[in-house]
Amino acid sequence: MATVDIVTASPGQTEALAARLARALQAGDVVTLSGDLGSGKTTFVRGACRALGVTRPVTSPTFTIAHRYAGHGLDVSHLDLYRFQHVEPEEWGALEPYLDGALCFVEWPEAGTGFLPPARVAVTFRHIDPEHRGITVECAEESLLQRLGEC
Ligand code: ADP
Ligand code: MG
């Protein structure tokens, strides 16, 4: 597994990092987002959505669990499993359609273990200080990560 570690100094830089990654992704890909509350997961999804042509506001689905956005030629889904200890089969039945034909970002993916398909990319966020975040991007394909280092 190849990894890239990047420090961003603003939400805009986190969005720009996500944008560079998103352009290499496609429908059916799952990207997991791990890290504490406020570490930048939703900000990252917003940057990916913008790069893919989503113009609607991109907000946290913590209470609604899932959002699906139409981009230019690609749908983007955003799941937030924060409220689950573990997703039950009937709950997964309601969530699974969000993965269908979409690039899917998943916050708090641990709760979806057993249901979520393997992630193509795993992103981990950590607080450094109020403006800086450490972001680790993990992927089996080194070529996909190469483009990310060029901030
Ligand atoms: P999460 O989804 O992980 O709970 P959010 O993306 O919703 O986190 O919130 C991140 C918060 O941190 C936002 O208020 C954002 O403005 C702020 N922030 C400050 N610096 C950064 C940075 N470098 N990257 C991302 N967010 C940052
Ligand atoms: Mg969030």
Side-chain angles (χ1 to χ4, degrees), residues 37-38 40-43 60-62 78 80 107-108:
L37 280 176
K41 303 181 295 296
T42 295
T43 301
S60 174
T62 300
H78 183 189
D80 186 333
E107 296 190 37
W108 304 98

Side-chain angles (χ1 to χ4, degrees), residues 78-102:
H78 183 189
L79 269 53
D80 186 333
L81 305 181
Y82 181 69
R83 293 201 300 153
F84 294 95
Q85 279 287 357
H86 194 268
V87 175
E88 299 298 329
E90 61 275 16
E91 293 164 331
W92 183 251
L95 295 176
E96 196 172 23
Y98 284 90
L99 275 76
D100 208 19

Side-chain angles (χ1 to χ4, degrees), residues 2-6 17 21 44 121-124 135-139 144-145 148:
T3 63
V4 164
D5 278 304
I6 289 168
L17 173 65
L21 174 69
F44 190 91
V121 183
V123 189
T124 308
I135 303 178
T136 303
V137 186
E138 205 177 332
C139 178
L144 205 147
L145 296 181
L148 297 181

Side-chain angles (χ1 to χ4, degrees), residues 8-11 14 36-43 107 130-133:
T8 65
S10 67
T14 295
D36 294 343
L37 280 176
S39 61
K41 303 181 295 296
T42 295
T43 301
E107 296 190 37
E131 275 89 45
H132 292 81
R133 300 291 184 271

